[in-house]
Amino acid sequence: MTKYEREIYHIVTNSAKHLTVEQIHAEIKNKYPKIVIATVYNNVNKLWKAGLIHKISVENMPDRYDQMIKHDHLICQKCGRLTDISFADLTASLRRQMGEEFLSYELKVFHICPDCRNQESQNDR
């Protein structure tokens, strides 16, 4: 693992947030001020393809990166806030329904977050 891969891995796996490449770039520049964003993109993709970090893709939003610990995500349809949530593991149920093994699954639940609901109700007044 290169020094950049190691640092990006550390940033992603130690963050409580779901970071974009731009956010990772801003963070890594504290340690490596001359690093360019293309290097961050390349190394993030290497880590993702190696299965070391998780990529979260949502339409019309930048990809975000997360640690590989199994969990699901709530995504606000209005503001895009992404929140970790742990639903019951669906692996056994999915295997029964499919009748075969699968590699993995990703559950994204779209909702309107409490802040956006409050803002909507204030606008309705």
Side-chain angles (χ1 to χ4, degrees), residues 12-55:
V12 171
T13 58
N14 287 296
S15 176
K17 299 178 182 177
H18 305 88
L19 302 171
T20 64
V21 168
E22 290 78 11
Q23 291 168 320
I24 296 167
H25 180 245
E27 181 75 23
I28 199 171
K29 280 184 75 95
N30 294 325
K31 188 169 184 176
Y32 300 104
K34 293 184 180 183
I35 191 169
V36 296
I37 198 157
T39 301
V40 177
Y41 271 106
N42 290 336
N43 284 281
V44 162
N45 280 325
K46 281 185 201 174
L47 291 167
W48 171 65
K49 287 179 182 176
L52 296 173
I53 61 175
H54 182 70
K55 177 168 44 172

Side-chain angles (χ1 to χ4, degrees), residues 1-123:
M1 196 180 277
T2 68
K3 66 182 180 181
Y4 294 140
E5 286 175 300
R6 198 171 17 262
E7 187 63 23
I8 291 167
Y9 177 79
H10 176 76
I11 290 168
V12 171
T13 58
N14 287 296
S15 176
K17 299 178 182 177
H18 305 88
L19 302 171
T20 64
V21 168
E22 290 78 11
Q23 291 168 320
I24 296 167
H25 180 245
E27 181 75 23
I28 199 171
K29 280 184 75 95
N30 294 325
K31 188 169 184 176
Y32 300 104
K34 293 184 180 183
I35 191 169
V36 296
I37 198 157
T39 301
V40 177
Y41 271 106
N42 290 336
N43 284 281
V44 162
N45 280 325
K46 281 185 201 174
L47 291 167
W48 171 65
K49 287 179 182 176
L52 296 173
I53 61 175
H54 182 70
K55 177 168 44 172
I56 306 162
S57 297
V58 178
E59 190 175 340
N60 298 320
M61 298 173 83
D63 289 336
R64 292 183 257 185
Y65 296 88
D66 199 3
Q67 51 192 294
M68 290 298 294
I69 297 168
K70 173 68 183 116
H71 62 282
D72 304 302
H73 294 103
L74 288 173
I75 302 166
C76 179
Q77 196 70 46
K78 292 230 178 234
C79 70
R81 179 183 297 157
L82 198 132
T83 308
D84 289 341
I85 190 163
S86 291
F87 292 112
D89 188 7
L90 301 174
T91 303
S93 175
L94 291 170
R95 281 189 183 129
R96 278 193 307 275
Q97 290 178 53
M98 291 178 59
E100 60 186 67
E101 291 294 318
F102 57 90
L103 299 175
S104 65
Y105 73 90
E106 181 178 338
L107 182 60
K108 297 178 207 167
V109 177
F110 293 87
H111 73 133
I112 307 297
C113 73
D115 290 344
C116 288
R117 278 196 310 263
N118 287 339
Q119 189 174 29
E120 281 181 349
S121 65
Q122 288 176 1
N123 291 342

